[in-house]
Amino acid sequence: YLLKTHVDQNVPFEQIFQVIKDRFLGTELELGTDAGLQGELEEIARHLKPGLSADYIASRGEYLNAKMIAAYLGCDFVDAAGLVVFDEKGRFLSEETNELLAAELAKHEKAVLPGFYGTLPNGDIKAFTRGGSDITGALVARAAGADVYENWTDVSGFLMADPRIVKNPKAIEKITYMELRELSYMGATVLHENAIYPVRLAGIPINIRNTNAPLDTGTFIVSEDEYAASAGSSIITGVAGRKDFTVIAIYKNMLTSEKGFIRRVLGILEEYDIVVEHIPSGIDTVSIVVSSESLTGNIGDLIDDIEKKTGAERVDIFADMALVATVGSGMAARKGVSARLFKSLEEADVNIRMIDQGSSEMNIIVGVENKDFETAIRAIYAAFESERQ
């Protein structure tokens, strides 16, 4: 509430804060609880006047909501500050957090914790990125040794494809941690991708549930072993993708016999602070796939550096590319999956510009032009959706 309030800059701080204060106190009154929000809001106002970080401001809505919900449910309120911890450079400390949370949660039969923030060594509030409450929930599930981590959101789990692209895509009843990581990376955003690691480490399944449809079973995210024991004959789990990539195609004769070539290329990209997404390669070529946004204003100098420092004979740039990932644990054991996928794209008149497959054989990524992105997803979905159980 505090961070997202959009108001005229000439409105006095006290007036803005009063609106926020009235909303919280009104909600507390309607719930018939006494969470002590009046005193909490006065304390926040005192802290805000000297000026504090955006992370502190953003965290206070979550903090106040958690206090109110704890009072309403008759649970203990446990602040994440001092339990979810980061180092002085803002890097999350996983094991330290797990030890602190486990020790504190052992003292409470029922507790409510605010999500998405923790603290730096000096006590300042540090927030996760957007959707970070998913991460806090996973951390608490691991620390408590939970049987399952239920993540309640506004959708009934994951779908095989984006419903904005594919009409009425089928729901995914069960998916592995690894499959979810692949789909989340490629744009499926129901759950924060970093929320998977803590519970995967502890072998705790995640159940994505819909707050507005509580009877829906949602999607279960499970280990590879559990999935294999009950998955049936499904070939693919889902199709997802993202637009606006650029492929940097580097050509050099006898490239495969030259030691350190790719290392030098990656070193140049690191100097430009460019993150590499994929690196498909051939005998005398290597293609570097990067976000188009990361190349803004750098592309001319980058090409010059690659040519000078690696001796590349030619560097070509292919912009306006999209990546589409077809993901499924069942693909590795099935013949003809690639043939069916490529045939579906051919029949949809989609030109494949790049092909990349992970070593786990769990995903096949194709590069297509941005204009063919939606068509490609619909074609692949139609080729496999009938076999999803």
Side-chain angles (χ1 to χ4, degrees):
Y1 299 123
L2 296 172
L3 188 62
K4 293 183 179 179
T5 301
H6 300 289
V7 294
D8 191 309
Q9 292 183 355
N10 295 322
V11 177
F13 162 79
E14 289 78 11
Q15 185 175 335
I16 300 169
F17 193 79
Q18 188 63 47
V19 173
I20 298 167
K21 184 177 178 179
D22 289 346
R23 181 170 182 178
F24 275 106
L25 294 179
T27 304
E28 184 182 34
L29 181 64
E30 289 180 17
L31 290 175
T33 63
D34 182 10
L37 295 195
Q38 176 73 41
E40 294 286 355
L41 285 160
E42 291 173 359
E43 182 69 16
I44 291 170
R46 284 195 294 271
H47 282 298
L48 287 176
K49 285 184 179 180
L52 282 171
S53 70
D55 282 8
Y56 172 81
I57 298 171
S59 72
R60 293 308 87 185
E62 187 88 2
Y63 173 85
L64 293 170
N65 279 328
K67 292 216 69 165
M68 193 159 39
I69 292 170
Y72 182 73
L73 296 177
C75 300
D76 297 335
F77 170 78
V78 177
D79 196 357
L83 301 177
V84 177
V85 292
F86 299 80
D87 67 15
E88 62 278 358
K89 294 183 178 180
R91 294 172 298 200
F92 173 63
L93 301 174
S94 175
E95 295 308 313
E96 291 86 341
T97 292
N98 188 56
E99 292 178 9
L100 290 167
L101 278 174
E104 181 61 34
L105 292 175
K107 304 173 186 176
H108 306 272
E109 183 178 355
K110 296 183 295 181
V112 174
L113 287 81
F116 99 81
Y117 71 86
T119 43
L120 297 166
N122 64 1
D124 287 349
I125 295 294
K126 168 66 178 175
F128 289 111
T129 55
R130 182 174 177 81
S133 290
D134 294 342
I135 302 174
T136 305
L139 296 173
V140 171
R142 179 192 176 194
D147 293 326
V148 63
Y149 165 34
E150 290 185 353
N151 184 288
W152 291 82
T153 181
D154 58 355
V155 294
S156 297
F158 282 86
L159 301 174
M160 279 187 68
D162 189 335
R164 294 169 297 183
I165 299 174
V166 174
K167 186 177 180 180
N168 298 322
K170 289 185 177 181
I172 300 173
E173 295 181 4
K174 191 172 288 187
I175 185 173
T176 68
Y177 300 121
M178 290 181 65
E179 288 172 325
L180 180 59
R181 279 283 292 167
E182 295 284 350
L183 290 172
S184 295
Y185 169 73
M186 291 303 294
T189 55
V190 173
L191 183 72
H192 195 299
E193 60 183 87
N194 291 334
I196 301 167
Y197 177 75
V199 287
R200 179 181 181 182
L201 200 64
I204 300 170
I206 306 171
N207 189 195
I208 307 297
R209 304 290 293 273
N210 190 342
T211 306
N212 301 314
L215 297 182
D216 290 356
T217 57
T219 299
F220 273 92
I221 305 163
V222 299
S223 68
E224 284 69 26
D225 290 341
E226 185 176 344
Y227 182 88
S230 60
S233 59
S234 300
I235 297 177
I236 77 163
T237 298
V239 185
R242 289 189 287 155
K243 290 183 177 180
D244 299 322
F245 289 94
T246 294
V247 177
I248 305 171
I250 305 170
Y251 302 83
K252 187 175 184 182
N253 190 39
M254 302 296 290
L255 184 152
T256 53
S257 63
E258 183 174 335
K259 296 179 180 179
F261 183 86
I262 294 178
R263 175 181 56 78
R264 292 197 298 276
V265 172
L266 295 180
I268 295 167
L269 292 168
E270 184 178 359
E271 291 174 7
Y272 281 80
D273 197 28
I274 296 173
V275 175
V276 175
E277 305 279 350
H278 298 279
I279 315 178
S281 62
I283 296 175
D284 294 322
T285 65
V286 60
S287 295
I288 309 294
V289 183
V290 302
S291 164
S292 297
E293 185 180 8
S294 67
L295 291 177
T296 303
N298 290 333
I299 195 161
D301 292 338
L302 176 64
I303 293 173
D304 288 343
D305 274 355
I306 291 174
E307 290 177 340
K308 291 175 182 176
K309 296 180 180 180
T310 67
E313 296 169 17
R314 192 169 84 248
V315 178
D316 291 336
I317 300 296
F318 300 98
D320 299 321
M321 297 283 290
L323 299 183
V324 177
T326 304
V327 177
S329 296
M331 294 199 306
R334 299 297 184 94
K335 296 178 181 178
V337 174
S338 298
R340 188 190 303 189
L341 190 156
F342 299 144
K343 183 174 178 59
S344 72
L345 294 175
E346 178 191 6
E347 292 176 346
D349 197 28
V350 173
N351 183 31
I352 300 173
R353 301 291 300 275
M354 185 195 81
I355 301 170
D356 190 17
Q357 184 170 22
S359 58
S360 65
E361 298 184 52
M362 183 188 297
N363 69 338
I364 299 174
I365 297 174
V366 295
V368 301
E369 294 180 18
N370 275 344
K371 65 181 180 64
D372 292 327
F373 176 69
E374 288 84 2
T375 302
I377 287 183
R378 292 189 195 103
I380 296 171
Y381 175 84
F384 292 98
E385 62 91 17
S386 63
E387 299 189 23
R388 179 72 195 180
Q389 294 186 342

